[in-house]
Amino acid sequence: MYLHLGENTVVTDKEVIGIFDMDTSTVNKATRDYLSLAEKSGRVEYVNFDLPKSFIVTDNKVFISPVNTATLNKRVK
């Protein structure tokens, strides 16, 4: 099954490791460090440049998405 992350970005649900809320999870320093390291290594892909509401960790990339986590979780089910 496929998960639409917004715009023209689609991943398979088997690739998805986690879906995280940008507001609540980036409070933790470890999460901010992880995202910073992923961006420096070129693994971050922005779905678009609207206000980010979630980030999706997959096998190979981290997607920054304007779609909230509740909507993404509904799409997975």
Side-chain angles (χ1 to χ4, degrees), residues 56-73:
I56 301 86
V57 178
T58 65
D59 294 336
N60 300 318
K61 292 185 178 184
V62 176
F63 293 92
I64 308 295
S65 175
V67 181
N68 67 37
T69 56
T71 301
L72 291 171
N73 283 324

Side-chain angles (χ1 to χ4, degrees), residues 7-70:
E7 294 289 320
N8 295 322
T9 307
V10 178
V11 296
T12 63
D13 61 349
K14 293 180 182 181
E15 290 180 79
V16 176
I17 295 171
I19 299 171
F20 303 92
D21 182 79
M22 189 65 81
D23 290 335
T24 58
S25 60
T26 55
V27 173
N28 188 321
K29 183 180 180 333
T31 305
R32 289 193 312 270
D33 291 345
Y34 172 77
L35 290 173
S36 177
L37 182 62
E39 189 153 19
K40 288 177 185 174
S41 66
R43 294 184 337 123
V44 172
E45 184 175 319
Y46 288 85
V47 171
N48 66 24
F49 292 99
D50 289 343
L51 180 67
K53 295 182 181 173
S54 63
F55 65 96
I56 301 86
V57 178
T58 65
D59 294 336
N60 300 318
K61 292 185 178 184
V62 176
F63 293 92
I64 308 295
S65 175
V67 181
N68 67 37
T69 56

